[in-house]
Amino acid sequence: MFNDKLKMLRKMQHFSQDRLAEEIGVSRQAVAKWESGDIFPDITNLIALSQLFDVSIDFLVKKPEACTKREGPLEEVAIDQDELQRFLYKAKIRTYASGIEQDIDGLREYSHDYLYEDPPYHYHDSYVGNEIFSGQEVVTFEGYPVWALSYQGRVLHSNFSSKFLKEALFHVTPERPFKGPVHFQKGASVYHCQSDGDLAWVTGREEVYFNEEKVYELVFHGGLLKE
């Protein structure tokens, strides 16, 4: 679904079609036709787009799929934790926090799901519920599950804004790509996130306040599935 991914990435960078065309060195009409699905960019422009948005060409041109289970023991998989952390950061800002809904089949009945992949890594966030909800994020490497995070949250007041929460989560830091930043504020809305641990084993809590009244809370825990 190249055209949908291009629109998603452009909006995440707050680029207009004119701005994107200028960055790539093509006409605005070309960008418009790419996004409508009328034409497909050549390899030169695909490379330019992948570099501009910091994604792989595979991500741009391949449809996200549920990870395929591989044969062999998990112990044989070698993980670069710095690489995994960089991938997790990119996955976080390109899924729920981006504010752009993904039109994909849910993992289970009534679930809300978000996918991101940059081979050999694959990220899947799936949760059930609405004002009270529970979910899990899983990262696989070449089909093997290597990192997971579980969470449970609830909305406490009608003053809660999911738009504000997504904006706060979009400011997650590459150093701690678990939930959101330690502190984020916009007007009367304030976001806090406290965590203990690191990529290998982390626990934490995030809260949103509106006019100093807590309107949302969530607890999470997770870590590596192998040393």
Side-chain angles (χ1 to χ4, degrees), residues 51-227:
Q51 292 174 341
L52 176 64
F53 294 124
D54 189 27
V55 297
S56 67
I57 292 178
D58 278 351
F59 171 77
L60 289 172
V61 302
K62 290 184 178 180
K63 181 179 179 180
E65 298 177 354
C67 63
T68 302
K69 184 178 179 181
R70 301 296 181 88
E71 298 297 328
L74 178 60
E75 288 73 17
E76 295 179 359
V77 179
I79 298 297
D80 182 325
Q81 291 192 29
D82 290 337
E83 184 180 77
L84 170 59
Q85 188 160 306
R86 287 192 295 270
F87 167 79
L88 186 58
Y89 169 72
K90 290 195 294 184
K92 290 300 185 78
I93 64 174
R94 285 167 167 80
T95 50
Y96 179 81
S98 73
I100 301 172
E101 297 297 323
Q102 294 186 352
D103 184 17
I104 59 176
D105 293 332
L107 179 64
R108 57 183 67 83
E109 192 172 8
Y110 301 116
S111 68
H112 308 270
D113 292 64
Y114 294 85
L115 299 177
Y116 175 75
E117 59 183 356
D118 188 1
Y121 290 98
H122 182 283
Y123 169 88
H124 191 164
D125 177 16
S126 179
Y127 71 92
V128 292
N130 290 293
E131 292 192 349
I132 300 175
F133 58 93
S134 181
Q136 185 177 55
E137 304 168 21
V138 176
V139 175
T140 62
F141 177 84
E142 296 183 348
Y144 293 91
V146 294
W147 189 88
L149 183 141
S150 299
Y151 55 89
Q152 182 91 7
R154 60 177 179 169
V155 174
L156 302 172
H157 196 280
S158 60
N159 284 330
F160 168 74
S161 167
S162 61
K163 181 178 180 181
F164 169 76
L165 176 62
K166 291 176 181 179
E167 188 172 355
L169 293 175
F170 191 77
H171 287 79
V172 61
T173 64
E175 296 77 22
R176 302 189 66 77
F178 310 126
K179 282 299 178 181
V182 173
H183 176 85
F184 179 79
Q185 182 170 0
K186 187 172 185 180
S189 295
V190 179
Y191 171 93
H192 293 294
C193 182
Q194 296 179 327
S195 62
D196 180 36
D198 54 22
L199 189 71
W201 186 266
V202 64
T203 61
R205 182 183 190 91
E206 68 177 7
E207 298 173 334
V208 174
Y209 291 80
F210 183 81
N211 284 334
E212 301 184 352
E213 179 182 6
K214 186 162 67 173
V215 296
Y216 164 90
E217 61 183 0
L218 176 145
V219 293
F220 61 90
H221 59 90
L224 293 172
L225 301 179
K226 69 181 297 293
E227 295 183 355

